[in-house]
Amino acid sequence: MNHLKSIIALAAALALSTAGASAETAHIFWKDLRPATQAVAEDAGLPMIAAKLPDHGETLSVALQDKTIQLAGYALPVDRDGDLVYQFLLVPWTGACSHMPTPPPNQIVLVTPARPYKMTEAYEAVSVTGAMKPDMEKSQLFILDGVSVIQSGYSVRKADVVSVDTVPDSVVLPVNSPWSFLNKKKN
């Protein structure tokens, strides 16, 4: 009987710790991934590219190490098979890395979903939840005109990924930008 009580107590403790873990998820924004002194895209000219920044965008927020975060952005597949995506780059605006210059590393997250994510289109708006790891990592991105090597400043492995309607802090490109067509909402 004591053994049964111990098992029930352990199960209750595990349930409470799991519930507590979800309460500890930090809902972060793209600005949280860069130093407060670093200019946002609108302030650094169009687009925000690492070469324009004194640290080349390599200063990471180590305070996010192993924190469970939730971040919304746009998914750009790195490893896929048909519509199943096994790894993708999460970026703050549509067109980043393929149609226009790459954001700095501290504005790119390499995401490995816990389960393959079914993606209908590149730059699909998604929300990612998982443990954040600040760490420079290079990925090969296959685009129409060849292969690009993209450096990300963060990674989230075993991530929960869900489709979302909007990215709250998405960068909107100025009207006079040659890439302004990327702002148009897809129907």
Side-chain angles (χ1 to χ4, degrees), residues 8-22:
I8 291 171
L10 179 60
L14 286 172
L16 283 175
S17 69
T18 303
S22 63

Side-chain angles (χ1 to χ4, degrees), residues 7 23 31 46-47 51 59 63 70 74 77 88 90 97 99 103 118 135-136 138 169 171 178 185-187:
I7 291 173
K31 66 178 176 54
L46 175 73
T59 303
Q70 183 177 50
Y74 300 96
F88 62 87
L90 189 69
C97 303
H99 297 297
K118 188 171 185 174
D135 187 27
M136 292 293 190
K138 291 184 179 181
D169 59 338
V171 172
K185 181 75 176 151
K186 295 174 186 168
N187 292 332

Side-chain angles (χ1 to χ4, degrees), residues 160-174:
D160 289 323
V161 181
V162 295
S163 179
V164 293
D165 291 330
T166 60
V167 175
D169 59 338
S170 176
V171 172
V172 177
L173 304 172

